[in-house]
Amino acid sequence: LIPRPDTEILVQCAVDFLRARLAVGGAACTIADIGTGTGAIALSTLHYTEGTHADAVDISPAAAAVARENAETLGLTERIAVHVGDLLAPLAGRRYDMILSNPPYIPTADIAGLMPDVRSYEPHLALDGGTDGLNIYRRLMAEAPMMLKDGGAVAVEVGIDEAAAVAALAIEHPRIVRTKTLKDLAGIERVVVGYTE
């Protein structure tokens, strides 16, 4: 999947959060990027933060291979491990400062109406979020908070009109104490962040 400019909002959120964490004397941070695709989110975050390490996961072996190739091209192979698997499953037992994801969020019925350059060329696995677009968020917000370190955060990109529903899913988890929503370049609520104590 080709990253769109709005995904920069998610990356900037991650970079700001991790830099602030390091500034207060934190150790080198660890992140997980779930549904990494090309690795753009994880690799950009690594590039703009000192000493951060990442685990990146994709269900597609082909996507994981592209992410590994991009990591090599960018000289970041020592700071990232790319896993093939379903969401957080390959990372069981690990803890992170931040978990990031730009998952499939387009409702199934809306895919046929997408612009041809998206509908015809992007893998449907990377687009289809189920009937209401929230399938992956339900799973992420149920599982990710338990894998965060104290004071950690989960941040996800969301589709149009999905931010409130995703924030509600996040705050349902007992470890999430507050949420924040960030707008994209067009003023649309695009990133939801959930914070632990």
Side-chain angles (χ1 to χ4, degrees):
L1 186 67
I2 300 167
R4 301 301 195 268
D6 292 331
T7 302
E8 294 173 20
I9 307 303
L10 178 59
V11 172
Q12 189 63 57
C13 167
V15 170
D16 291 346
F17 177 84
L18 295 167
R19 284 180 175 172
R21 205 154 159 86
L22 288 168
V24 295
C29 292
T30 57
I31 63 169
D33 179 23
I34 309 303
T36 197
T38 63
I41 292 169
L43 295 170
S44 297
T45 302
L46 293 179
H47 178 77
Y48 288 104
T49 56
E50 293 292 324
T52 305
H53 285 78
D55 280 316
V57 180
D58 205 283
I59 200 166
S60 163
V66 171
R68 288 186 192 104
E69 184 179 317
N70 286 339
E72 188 169 346
T73 300
L74 295 168
L76 292 169
T77 53
E78 298 298 315
R79 294 173 59 197
I80 189 169
V82 181
H83 310 267
V84 176
D86 185 31
L87 298 184
L88 293 156
L91 310 179
R94 301 181 196 197
R95 306 259 322 241
Y96 297 93
D97 294 278
M98 194 169 208
I99 296 175
L100 306 169
S101 187
N102 180 9
Y105 56 65
I106 298 170
T108 305
D110 293 352
I111 291 177
L114 293 174
M115 294 180 297
D117 64 320
V118 175
R119 182 185 68 241
S120 301
Y121 296 99
E122 305 291 10
H124 279 214
L125 187 65
L127 300 172
D128 192 342
T131 304
D132 62 359
L134 303 177
N135 281 3
I136 302 298
Y137 299 111
R138 287 187 184 91
R139 292 180 58 198
L140 278 175
M141 293 309 179
E143 300 170 20
M146 294 308 297
M147 298 178 72
L148 291 171
K149 297 176 184 176
D150 291 346
V154 54
V156 294
E157 184 171 326
V158 299
I160 294 173
D161 296 328
E162 292 178 347
V166 173
L169 288 170
I171 207 71
E172 281 177 14
H173 196 286
R175 285 207 72 211
I176 299 297
V177 293
R178 66 184 176 91
T179 64
K180 177 172 74 172
T181 301
L182 305 172
K183 292 182 178 178
D184 68 13
L185 306 174
I188 296 166
E189 293 183 324
R190 186 61 70 183
V191 171
V192 173
V193 190
Y195 298 92
T196 63
E197 280 191 295

